[in-house]
Amino acid sequence: MSTLTSAHSLWTLAADTPAERIPAPVIEYAQLAPTLIVVGAAVVGILVEAFVPRRSRYYVQVFLTLAALASAFAAVVGLAAGGYGSTKAQVAAMGAIAVDGPALFLQGTILLASVVAVFTFAERRLDPAAHGNRVDSFAAQAASVPGSDSEKAAVKAGFTTTEVFPLALFAIAGMLIFPAANDLLTLFVALEVFSLPLYLLCAVARRQRLMSQEAAVKYFLLGAFSSAFLLFGIALLYGYAGSMSYAVIADVVDGTITKIDPALADTMGNDVLLLMGGALILTGLLFKVGAVPFHMWTPDVYQGAPTPVTGFMAAATKVAAFGALLRLLYVVLPGLRWDWRPVMWAVAIVTMLAGAVIAVTQTDVKRLLAYSSVAHAGFILAGVIATSAEGVQSVLFYLAAYSFVTIGAFAVVTLVRDAGGEATHLSKWAGLGRRSPLTAAVFAVFLLAFAGIPLTSGFTGKFAVFSAAAEGGAGALVVIGVLSSAIAAFFYIRVIVLMFFSEPKADGPTVAVPSPLTMTTIAVGVAVTLVLGLAPQYFLELAGQASTFVR
Amino acid sequence: MENLIALLIAAPLFGAVVLLCGGRRLDKTGHWIGTLLAAVSFGIGVVLFADMLGRSADERTLTQNLYTWIPVEGFQADMAFQLDQLSMTFVLLISGVGTLIHVYSIGYMEHDERRRRFFGYLNLFVAAMLLLVLADNYLLLYFGWEGVGLASYLLIGFWQHKPSAATAAKKAFLVNRVGDMGLSIAIMLMFTTFGTFAFTPVFGAVGETSEGMLTAIGLMLLLAACGKSAQVPLQSWLGDAMEGPTPVSALIHAATMVTAGVYLIVRSAAVFNAAPDAQLVVTVVGAVTLLFGAIVGCAKDDIKKALAGSTMSQIGYMILAAGLGPIGYVFAIMHLVTHGFFKAGLFLGAGSVMHGMNDEVDMRKYGALRTYMPVTFVTFGLGYLAIIGFPGLSGFFSKDMIIEAAFAKGGTEGWILGGVTLLGAGITAFYMTRVMLLTFFGEKRWQPDADGHEPHPHESPKSMTIPMVILAFGSVFAGAFFEIGERFLKWLEPVTGYSHGNPPVSAMTVTAATMVMLLVGVGIAWAMYGRRPVPVVAPRGSLLTRAARRDLYQDDFNHVVLVRGGEHLTRSLVYVDHSLVDGVVNGTAASVGGLSGRLRKLQNGYARSYAVSMFGGTAILIAATLLMRAV
């Protein structure tokens, strides 16, 4: 009893000392609900791994994941309906996280995209059953050495890596925070929270495991490298402004704060620090969006990762990273517009051109889509550069449109299979339209959307970003963007031609009949593509209403 | 009442959709559905007509705005209809004659296994033609215009298994495209000039527009009219269009569609009245075509082609009258209506003769058919008397009016135009008498057909003869009905305007001169074909005859000038395309491919190289940012 009291007196004693008092942080739980739900579900998912019997884990995890994503999405909708996207937009959690229009819109997009991506994670009908057990795209036991006896034993025992679901949830949680992060430290933590699970997810392919692991290692190494840049940039910016907070840094950039922290008297307000720090943070973010010359991981990782993970990563990472980039450029560095705009111009141009040009000679459909995603990053950058509300609106719309097309396209890739798993070499896709007209037609819809053909979401998105860029005075950028689109159209249409106008190969792949899960993913992809292409007005307005950042 | 206007179009359109999409299960009933819906349209037309008569002359125009068809800011096109006296006249003609020809086709197409489709096309035609005459703006009119062009194409080529029919359809389509281009340019000019293409605002703004622009619009409208109405220089398709089934020739290529050009010019009266130069060109086109068609009609041995030449010539009369301005508009339309009756009757008669003669069309192989086909003979004969302008019959009144109006134009122009119309009346009498004599009089010159079947001429079934009888009534009485008390003039005048002109000679003199020309024409024909036996194989004939048999070398002209010229142009363009354009395109593609291949090599799979690229990129990024500030 006495020990308890003395322990208690220790705490109270500390609190009673006025000089040492640390104010209890105020956390707006309701406003952070979307993220908290996902994180909570991820933690529960780990407990499920530990305590639920192996046989029912898959079902529990799938249910838990989908339920968490759905309720998180409901929370986002609730917040948006409550006016947090517009009138009541504010900074929560002691200035760490913004709750505003762009954040809610992007979180909603990430959550919806994650739902359909999780459907492809949970698909268990594509691979032939191993030893009577239905299997998904993930290794039986990720830790076993490829080709070893322990792997064979794991396959025989019917193990599955159900850890992918909590991993995905952690990644999603990080992605939800990333575009909402309102100080540099939160930004970095969010980056790591969503990156580390992604590295793992890349490594757990069931087929071609060595390639998968190689991709994961590369992704990890380069990701760590880029994180280092980002962290260094954060340090420099802190040195410049004496604060991690976006709002404070922005004020220092504007010159509205002149009080100099005595500890930083030598560095504060030094523009070289600001410029270098800003450039380094940009580097870190450009790595995540896959802009040239920080794109080189994309083809290797997209190809090696399990295809459902590739789809998820290509869509959700891009949304989150562009969200963070927008916030950085529009909230922290608007005063520096004349410094970063020319540089970003160059990056956008190189990205569009390089992505489109290199894709022309690709022979693997996953690599083709990887370069296509590089080119698309360039198109989105054109919208980012507009530095206007229309620019934000167009980028938000583009990201929403692009994620569903991407996940849908990678979902179709999982269906086309031969004896070695997915048949991703383009030569094997020859004549697919003759044998599986529906699959080929759906893929053609996605390709046309990528190419930006009217009546698809791709056209609306591209039109929005280019017109925003043109209004923002970036006419030359738009011309190059349109030229790159023309080059890009070549390789998209070439695949369509290949599918529909080439003779099928005798030993060509077959199209597996998926469960309703993947079918839903693909159907949602097609539906979103067409709806955003035919009647985009409502969604454009939604993105327009969500285009104001809180500061 | 105005809500009925859309139904006029909707009924046959519904028929077309049902018949064309309904499939084989409608094979047995399809023709009845098609006929019924055409009749429904006619019935609605009659109701609207009665209603219109009940109102005073300046309250007769009805409008119906269904919805905004193309709602673009600054470019508004309404799906809106306007029914005035002019449209009403056409509605009754189109749906009335149309219904009769539907009835006729039931018998004529009885043995054709694609009869349902045929009726679908006919209904489509009626709907499109009604849209054309009911539109309240030029864009919607253009829609109908293209619709009738499509229907005409489908129907000319209906027997597509015959290469000649397929070619004729294509020819009609292509020649019509030239005219359609004129209409589309006219609409574009209107839009740029007036900012709209609805009739009322356009006509209202004519006063404030330069005459040059109005002349340009007028000439483009005339080009359109030339295409659809087979006027020189776009006349070449009409003769070949006779490859289509005879009811089609009667309905589309004689009575209704080919008069669309006349409608267009009369409808655009306000534009033409303000552009005298364009009007002059219109009269010239009419006069030239009038003689052209008549001369061609004289030499043809194919009964339908002779009638086609006649159609061209009679529409020449109408165009000429329309070019006269307010003096002639009313008579152009009046002749159009009477012509609709008697020419449709003549074509149906021709079809009836062919029906009885194993589909033989060469008149030199007919002869003496009057006793074998009495009903056809009588109705055809009445049509014949009407077209040559026998006193008291329809054509007499309407044609006489045009001749008088041509003289009333005044000045040298008036004398020339009047002279041409008089001459045309004489030639008309000649070639129509020739047709009559060759077909119904003289010796039997029947020949077995290709399979060796001897012809056994017989009267056609009731479904074919009844429409012919009704049309014969129209041929006989319509003209007098219109003329007594100047009914037609009073009916149309509020829309088209009327001016008496200044005739240099009295109406009686003109009528007398016309009678003389008629007698001369009939007399020459009697001397050549009535008194002497007619050879079965056509004699070589004079230079003019040979030229007329070849349609006055229209196709040779087109071939040499347009086809050859076009081929040369195409070849040179292809050359430029291959050498220059393709060179640039292929060069670009090759360089993109080469660049791609080289850039790909950077992607060597080593994480260390990637890291170097990132490092270099970051260095450049920082350097560039700092440099920007330094600059």
Side-chain angles (χ1 to χ4, degrees):
Chain A
M1 192 67 198
S2 64
T3 41
L4 260 181
T5 322
S6 61
H8 184 251
S9 69
L10 267 176
W11 297 333
T12 46
L13 197 72
D16 284 342
T17 318
E20 302 281 316
R21 180 177 294 162
I22 298 173
V26 181
I27 305 290
E28 294 84 347
Y29 291 100
Q31 293 166 41
L32 304 177
T35 317
L36 295 178
I37 291 170
V38 175
V39 175
V43 172
V44 174
I46 291 179
L47 296 178
V48 168
E49 285 300 318
F51 295 111
V52 172
R54 194 185 287 280
R55 219 175 317 139
S56 43
R57 258 182 231 163
Y58 166 82
Y59 301 99
V60 177
Q61 291 286 23
V62 171
F63 173 79
L64 177 66
T65 310
L66 290 176
L69 293 175
S71 32
F73 182 72
V76 167
V77 172
L79 285 174
Y84 285 98
S86 47
T87 49
K88 289 202 302 197
Q90 56 174 294
V91 179
M94 307 289 287
I97 288 176
V99 182
D100 59 3
L104 290 176
F105 188 95
L106 293 170
Q107 287 175 342
T109 309
I110 292 169
L111 287 167
L112 284 183
S114 302
V115 169
V116 287
V118 164
F119 284 157
T120 61
F121 277 46
E123 175 63 54
R124 298 178 92 178
R125 293 223 188 131
L126 295 175
D127 246 332
H131 305 286
N133 300 307
R134 282 194 173 157
V135 296
D136 49 25
S137 305
F138 303 102
Q141 195 171 35
S144 58
V145 176
S148 66
D149 289 339
S150 82
E151 183 191 37
K152 286 183 193 121
V155 172
K156 197 165 184 190
F159 291 178
T160 51
T161 310
T162 41
E163 291 89 342
V164 293
F165 296 102
L167 282 172
L169 280 176
F170 275 120
I172 294 165
M175 289 169 181
L176 293 181
I177 304 172
F178 201 49
N182 204 45
D183 71 39
L184 293 171
L185 218 49
T186 313
L187 181 80
F188 180 72
V189 172
L191 175 76
E192 294 304 320
V193 167
F194 84 75
S195 295
L196 292 169
L198 280 182
Y199 303 147
L200 282 177
L201 284 171
C202 287
V204 295
R206 172 171 289 268
R207 308 258 188 170
Q208 296 183 306
R209 292 191 58 202
L210 286 173
M211 216 169 131
S212 167
Q213 294 181 353
E214 181 191 333
V217 171
K218 278 183 189 167
Y219 192 20
F220 171 66
L221 284 175
L222 296 170
F225 195 43
S226 86
S227 293
F229 282 126
L230 185 92
L231 207 51
F232 190 25
I234 290 174
L236 291 179
L237 271 191
Y238 180 75
Y240 167 78
S243 169
M244 293 285 188
S245 156
Y246 281 9
V248 176
I249 300 173
D251 285 342
V252 177
V253 173
D254 290 344
T256 38
I257 289 186
T258 47
K259 189 173 72 74
I260 294 187
D261 189 334
L264 296 165
D266 293 343
T267 56
M268 213 172 146
N270 182 339
D271 273 3
V272 175
L273 291 185
L274 169 66
L275 294 173
M276 287 183 66
L280 285 168
I281 295 181
L282 279 183
T283 302
L285 295 179
L286 290 174
F287 173 83
K288 283 294 166 198
V289 305
V292 179
F294 314 105
H295 69 289
M296 299 190 87
W297 60 277
T298 33
D300 292 14
V301 174
Y302 278 25
Q303 186 182 18
T307 308
V309 174
T310 310
F312 169 63
M313 203 163 58
T317 312
K318 205 155 252 174
V319 177
F322 266 110
L325 188 63
L326 276 177
R327 191 174 294 279
L328 184 76
L329 294 178
Y330 281 66
V331 174
V332 186
L333 302 175
L336 221 53
R337 194 178 308 139
W338 304 111
D339 295 291
W340 62 256
R341 268 191 77 170
V343 179
M344 292 299 280
W345 260 67
V347 172
I349 287 175
V350 177
T351 306
M352 290 189 284
L353 282 177
V357 167
I358 304 179
V360 167
T361 44
Q362 296 306 315
T363 50
D364 183 281
V365 67
K366 283 169 83 177
R367 288 183 85 83
L368 180 87
L369 291 176
Y371 280 108
S372 138
S373 93
V374 172
H376 281 279
F379 299 138
I380 303 175
L381 279 177
V384 171
I385 289 167
T387 55
S388 61
E390 286 78 38
V392 181
Q393 175 193 15
S394 67
V395 171
L396 295 182
F397 182 86
Y398 201 117
L399 289 169
Y402 177 78
S403 9
F404 288 95
V405 181
T406 306
I407 295 179
F410 279 107
V412 175
V413 172
T414 62
L415 303 185
V416 182
R417 309 177 80 87
D418 58 14
E422 287 160 15
T424 55
H425 198 276
L426 272 178
S427 65
K428 296 189 175 162
W429 286 54
L432 193 70
R434 307 258 178 100
R435 268 182 301 181
S436 314
L438 184 65
T439 311
V442 165
F443 198 59
V445 168
F446 291 137
L447 289 172
L448 291 175
F450 279 134
I453 304 297
L455 305 186
T456 62
S457 60
F459 173 77
T460 325
K462 225 174 242 182
F463 185 80
V465 291
F466 284 163
S467 51
E471 274 173 36
L477 193 65
V478 173
V479 171
I480 293 174
V482 172
L483 287 178
S484 327
S485 305
I487 299 174
F490 166 77
F491 57 79
Y492 295 128
I493 308 282
R494 194 185 59 168
V495 175
I496 297 179
V497 170
L498 188 73
M499 288 192 301
F500 286 97
F501 301 104
S502 298
E503 283 301 319
K505 286 198 165 179
D507 57 343
T510 53
V511 170
V513 179
S515 69
L517 290 168
T518 303
M519 273 189 211
T520 312
T521 305
I522 296 173
V524 169
V526 171
V528 172
T529 305
L530 295 180
V531 169
L532 293 192
L534 293 169
Q537 202 53 43
Y538 171 75
F539 301 94
L540 277 172
E541 276 166 16
L542 196 66
Q545 287 161 11
S547 63
T548 316
F549 289 95
V550 69
R551 183 172 153 181
Chain B
M1 195 50 81
E2 58 268 14
N3 294 334
L4 285 177
I5 300 176
L7 281 183
L8 276 174
I9 301 169
L13 187 65
F14 174 73
V17 171
V18 166
L19 291 180
L20 294 178
C21 305
R24 295 192 173 283
R25 76 200 87 140
L26 291 179
D27 274 352
K28 291 225 166 64
T29 51
H31 47 287
W32 292 113
I33 298 175
T35 311
L36 179 73
L37 286 165
V40 165
S41 191
F42 179 64
I44 299 171
V46 170
V47 170
L48 283 166
F49 179 60
D51 173 67
M52 184 179 274
L53 285 180
R55 276 174 284 133
S56 67
D58 45 357
E59 286 172 356
R60 283 183 172 167
T61 304
L62 287 180
T63 52
Q64 181 186 11
N65 194 343
L66 271 193
Y67 56 93
T68 304
W69 177 29
I70 303 176
V72 178
E73 197 179 354
F75 184 101
Q76 296 285 332
D78 289 336
M79 187 57 83
F81 307 118
Q82 172 187 330
L83 181 72
D84 59 7
Q85 290 92 322
L86 182 60
S87 311
M88 192 72 243
T89 312
F90 272 90
V91 165
L92 291 178
L93 179 73
I94 295 160
S95 57
V97 175
T99 306
L100 289 179
I101 284 168
H102 275 78
V103 174
Y104 178 89
S105 304
I106 295 173
Y108 192 85
M109 302 297 282
E110 194 175 357
H111 304 297
D112 198 307
E113 57 190 25
R114 292 162 72 230
R115 178 162 69 166
R116 171 181 56 83
R117 187 179 288 271
F118 181 80
F119 276 81
Y121 292 158
L122 277 189
N123 269 355
L124 176 67
F125 167 76
V126 171
M129 188 74 196
L130 287 171
L131 179 64
L132 194 166
V133 299
L134 285 170
D136 97 321
N137 62 68
Y138 280 98
L139 201 66
L140 194 56
L141 179 148
Y142 188 57
F143 188 12
W145 188 272
E146 294 294 317
V148 295
L150 170 69
S152 159
Y153 167 79
L154 292 170
L155 285 166
I156 295 171
F158 187 73
W159 287 322
Q160 59 208 195
H161 52 87
K162 291 199 297 186
S164 58
T167 314
K170 209 186 290 175
K171 184 175 178 183
F173 197 77
L174 287 175
V175 176
N176 265 297
R177 292 313 300 168
V178 180
D180 297 347
M181 200 57 76
L183 185 53
S184 62
I185 293 174
I187 294 173
M188 292 179 216
L189 285 178
M190 278 179 213
F191 184 70
T192 51
T193 314
F194 306 109
T196 175
F197 28 66
F199 291 150
T200 321
V202 166
F203 299 153
V206 160
E208 301 132 33
T209 312
S210 74
E211 195 183 316
M213 178 52 75
L214 291 175
T215 307
I217 294 176
L219 290 178
M220 285 299 122
L221 290 175
L222 174 66
L223 182 64
C226 284
K228 204 59 84 197
S229 294
Q231 299 293 292
V232 177
L234 299 179
Q235 80 290 358
S236 64
W237 63 273
L238 186 62
D240 294 355
M242 298 303 131
E243 288 293 340
T246 304
V248 173
S249 307
L251 176 65
I252 300 184
H253 305 114
T256 55
M257 185 192 85
V258 286
T259 59
V262 183
Y263 171 79
L264 184 66
I265 293 178
V266 174
R267 177 56 82 195
S268 314
V271 175
F272 281 97
N273 290 344
D277 292 340
Q279 273 189 321
L280 180 67
V281 181
V282 174
T283 52
V284 170
V285 165
V288 170
T289 312
L290 185 173
L291 292 179
F292 187 105
I295 292 170
V296 169
C298 291
K300 290 288 182 188
D301 290 328
D302 178 328
I303 185 169
K304 282 174 72 180
K305 293 203 169 170
L307 289 176
S310 155
T311 302
M312 212 186 280
S313 168
Q314 298 300 315
I315 297 171
Y317 269 105
M318 300 169 210
I319 294 276
L320 188 149
L324 295 173
I327 314 173
Y329 290 138
V330 174
F331 306 123
I333 301 298
M334 184 163 139
H335 193 53
L336 192 156
V337 175
T338 56
H339 175 258
F341 283 118
F342 57 67
K343 187 51 66 65
L346 286 170
F347 263 109
L348 295 191
S352 172
V353 169
M354 287 159 57
H355 201 68
M357 294 292 288
N358 292 349
D359 286 330
E360 179 60 65
V361 290
D362 188 348
M363 293 187 288
R364 290 184 185 274
K365 295 173 184 165
Y366 291 165
L369 288 175
R370 62 182 182 280
T371 47
Y372 295 91
M373 313 176 84
V375 181
T376 307
F377 169 63
V378 171
T379 54
F380 194 93
L382 289 171
Y384 155 73
L385 291 176
I387 192 173
I388 66 171
F390 190 81
L393 271 67
S394 287
F396 168 76
F397 293 104
S398 56
K399 198 189 288 177
D400 201 48
M401 285 311 200
I402 293 181
I403 298 174
E404 281 174 31
F407 278 110
K409 174 84 176 164
T412 327
E413 278 173 43
W415 284 106
I416 295 174
L417 293 176
V420 168
T421 49
L422 266 184
L423 182 61
I427 306 179
T428 308
F430 171 78
Y431 68 72
M432 283 313 300
T433 311
R434 175 173 173 269
V435 169
M436 196 69 197
L437 290 174
L438 286 180
T439 306
F440 292 104
F441 295 88
E443 304 287 316
K444 292 180 194 172
R445 300 180 300 277
W446 309 343
Q447 306 285 323
D449 66 8
D451 302 332
H453 297 299
E454 287 291 335
H456 297 288
H458 53 85
E459 191 51 88
S460 298
K462 282 278 190 315
S463 67
M464 289 168 70
T465 51
I466 289 172
M468 286 154 62
V469 171
I470 296 174
L471 288 170
F473 267 97
S475 311
V476 174
F477 299 111
F481 178 77
F482 291 160
E483 190 52 29
I484 292 168
E486 297 190 319
R487 279 197 189 113
F488 201 75
L489 180 59
K490 286 176 186 155
W491 161 252
L492 265 191
E493 195 193 339
V495 181
T496 60
Y498 176 65
S499 130
H500 196 55
N502 35 0
V505 287
S506 72
M508 280 311 293
T509 322
V510 172
T511 309
T514 315
M515 282 303 110
V516 171
M517 292 306 290
L518 190 161
L519 288 176
V520 170
V522 171
I524 296 175
W526 167 251
M528 288 174 70
Y529 299 98
R531 276 193 330 172
R532 282 184 263 163
V534 179
V536 174
V537 178
R540 195 158 179 274
S542 69
L543 201 62
L544 181 63
T545 313
R546 291 203 303 269
R549 276 190 199 136
R550 296 207 56 156
D551 301 299
L552 299 177
Y553 302 117
Q554 61 181 18
D555 292 334
D556 306 76
F557 176 83
N558 287 348
H559 187 73
V560 171
V561 176
L562 301 175
V563 178
R564 288 272 173 75
E567 278 173 356
H568 282 296
L569 184 67
T570 320
R571 252 180 241 146
S572 38
L573 286 178
V574 165
Y575 176 75
V576 171
D577 184 51
H578 274 301
S579 53
L580 204 69
V581 180
D582 283 9
V584 171
V585 171
N586 292 338
T588 316
S591 46
V592 167
L595 186 65
S596 177
R598 245 163 275 147
L599 284 177
R600 241 185 117 168
K601 300 225 171 76
L602 292 176
Q603 191 78 29
N604 57 12
Y606 293 118
R608 55 175 187 261
S609 311
Y610 300 173
V612 168
S613 145
M614 283 172 61
F615 185 77
T618 313
I620 294 172
L621 209 65
I622 293 172
T625 318
L626 291 174
L627 199 68
M628 279 301 139
R629 177 56 69 91
V631 175

